[in-house]
Amino acid sequence: MAKSSAKENENCQARLLYQYPKPTTKDLFTDTFGFITKTKEAESSMHSVFKLKHRWERMLNDGRTECMDGMVFKGVPVFLKNRVWTYVLRGKNKHKEVGWEEYEKLRDMHSGFEYQIHVDIQRTFRNHILFYDAFGEGQCKLFRVLVAYANYNPHIGYCQGMASFTGLILMYFDELEVFNVLINILSTLNALFDTQLSLLPTLMSVQKEVFILVIPEVYYLLKNENVDLCLFVYSWYLTLFSRFDIKLSLRIWDIFIFYGPASLLAVSCAILSFYVRRLGEMQGECLVAFLSSLDSIALADSDVDCIIEKVKGVMEEIDLDDINNVLELY
């Protein structure tokens, strides 16, 4: 009883911290994605970006969804993420949307996960302008969305890692929109984030088959070094690849939103394939350490393009519909 009371008190105290947003720090330099920099970012040519933006807008205005198949691999401009992702999600089967009144009820209810959510928020994208200030507007919105989701889906509640990808969505969507994106992308991934992480064994089994099919040289290299895939792949999935270099994470999410969870298996293959030469030069603890650090490596634009091209290639070799159906069984 005392332990339960202490936990309840922790959750209540955590909720109070996010009740009133603290003032926002002003006059900070940020890059294109909103991450804080020491100096003002140099202006670069936007010709190719505006050309890409025009093509996406034309497809959206004309309702030409069939043309998006190829375009998604070129990436969605940051200022169109909201519109394109929303358009794609609303076109999927079983799409759901919650109104503001219902959302308010969910966010104002006690979930029992407040303290855990608080701890994770304080280490989520702290170098991004939206989450830079402790208990600022961005962190308060993230807290409310995660509490609301925990109440909306008690089967999952809250799972570590959810703060990361929810924070990524919040960079481009308003609070209620974030919640609606969340309930739709997680509708087929409930078992990945439940208390037993029920989907992980099946997911890893299918991932192993895809590795053997597409990148056997990497798979057997890791097997010969007795490297368990779970050591690094688990965290990729539980954060939905949101902790990689932001340039790569956003391109991955364009594909994930469009093609569903099965595309993430292709992403894992593509990332390992990109680093195959360096992996072959390592052994033992050095190899494990490098694999564990892949989501923290800064990437050039050309590196990101190369990885995405590999993702496209892998997706052409595997049956996405079949894999999505297997994942949805859970």
Side-chain angles (χ1 to χ4, degrees):
M1 181 68 74
K3 186 176 181 180
S4 176
S5 178
K7 183 177 180 180
E8 186 176 333
N9 184 57
E10 276 187 337
N11 287 324
C12 289
Q13 291 299 315
R15 179 177 280 274
L16 289 173
L17 292 172
Y18 297 89
Q19 190 168 5
Y20 302 107
K22 301 294 188 294
T24 301
T25 304
K26 298 180 179 179
D27 302 322
L28 294 172
F29 295 121
T30 62
D31 63 14
T32 304
F33 303 99
F35 287 87
I36 295 168
T37 58
K38 292 183 179 179
T39 56
K40 187 176 181 180
E41 188 176 49
E43 292 186 12
S44 57
S45 173
M46 297 292 288
H47 175 71
S48 60
V49 176
F50 282 120
K51 185 177 179 181
L52 188 63
K53 173 179 177 287
H54 177 69
R55 292 181 67 184
W56 272 107
E57 287 180 331
R58 188 169 57 189
M59 283 189 297
L60 289 168
N61 293 335
D62 295 344
R64 292 158 53 202
T65 54
E66 71 281 357
C67 299
M68 293 183 183
D69 277 27
M71 282 294 293
V72 73
F73 294 101
K74 297 182 183 297
V76 179
V78 291
F79 34 77
L80 281 179
K81 296 290 184 193
N82 183 302
R83 188 178 171 191
V84 173
W85 290 5
T86 300
Y87 181 88
V88 173
L89 287 172
R90 282 178 175 169
K92 292 183 179 292
N93 293 330
K94 301 179 182 178
H95 175 76
K96 297 180 181 178
E97 284 197 14
V98 165
W100 185 257
E101 187 175 343
E102 183 180 352
Y103 172 71
E104 278 190 314
K105 290 179 181 177
L106 290 166
R107 76 177 191 184
D108 293 341
M109 292 166 54
H110 286 268
S111 69
F113 293 95
E114 282 83 358
Y115 181 74
Q116 187 180 348
I117 291 170
H118 154 65
V119 170
D120 285 350
I121 284 178
Q122 292 309 314
R123 54 192 179 200
T124 298
F125 292 123
R126 292 306 303 273
N127 59 336
H128 191 279
I129 189 67
L130 191 61
F131 308 109
Y132 178 75
D133 294 299
F135 314 113
E137 186 66 36
Q139 286 198 348
C140 288
K141 287 182 179 179
L142 182 55
F143 180 83
R144 292 194 295 263
V145 170
L146 291 170
V147 168
Y149 185 80
N151 287 316
Y152 174 84
N153 190 353
H155 178 68
I156 290 179
Y158 175 78
C159 178
Q160 187 175 10
M162 290 173 65
S164 182
F165 58 79
T166 306
L168 183 145
I169 302 168
L170 190 56
M171 294 176 192
Y172 302 99
F173 289 80
D174 292 333
E175 185 175 338
L176 178 60
E177 293 175 328
V178 174
F179 180 78
N180 282 316
V181 170
L182 201 60
I183 64 176
N184 282 286
I185 64 170
L186 294 184
S187 63
T188 57
L189 289 173
N190 272 330
L192 179 59
F193 297 99
D194 65 22
T195 54
Q196 304 298 320
L197 305 179
S198 308
L199 183 60
L200 272 180
T202 298
L203 185 63
M204 294 308 298
S205 177
V206 178
Q207 181 73 84
K208 175 182 172 181
E209 291 179 19
V210 174
F211 280 165
I212 294 172
L213 173 68
V214 181
I215 50 170
E217 70 282 10
V218 176
Y219 174 76
Y220 288 110
L221 183 156
L222 299 181
K223 184 178 181 181
N224 291 337
E225 289 292 327
N226 295 314
V227 175
D228 189 343
L229 298 176
C230 302
L231 288 175
F232 58 97
V233 177
Y234 266 23
S235 67
W236 294 0
Y237 281 109
L238 292 177
T239 57
L240 295 181
F241 294 80
S242 60
R243 289 182 180 170
F244 283 83
D245 184 305
I246 190 64
K247 296 189 294 295
L248 178 59
S249 287
L250 290 174
R251 296 283 294 276
I252 291 171
W253 268 67
D254 291 338
I255 297 167
F256 167 55
I257 291 289
F258 196 88
Y259 287 101
S263 63
L264 297 179
L265 282 77
V267 170
S268 294
C269 287
I271 291 170
L272 292 179
S273 176
F274 179 76
Y275 290 107
V276 62
R277 182 176 297 180
R278 293 180 66 178
L279 294 173
E281 297 169 351
M282 300 178 187
Q283 294 178 323
E285 292 182 4
C286 289
L287 177 59
V288 172
F290 179 69
L291 288 165
S292 300
S293 70
L294 290 182
D295 57 0
S296 61
I297 296 176
L299 297 167
D301 289 344
S302 58
D303 294 334
V304 173
D305 288 338
C306 182
I307 292 173
I308 296 301
E309 194 60 33
K310 288 178 179 292
V311 173
K312 184 179 180 181
V314 175
M315 287 173 60
E316 291 172 351
E317 292 190 53
I318 62 178
D319 190 331
L320 289 179
D321 290 337
D322 186 47
I323 295 173
N324 275 324
N325 288 335
V326 170
L327 300 181
E328 287 179 13
L329 288 175
Y330 285 79

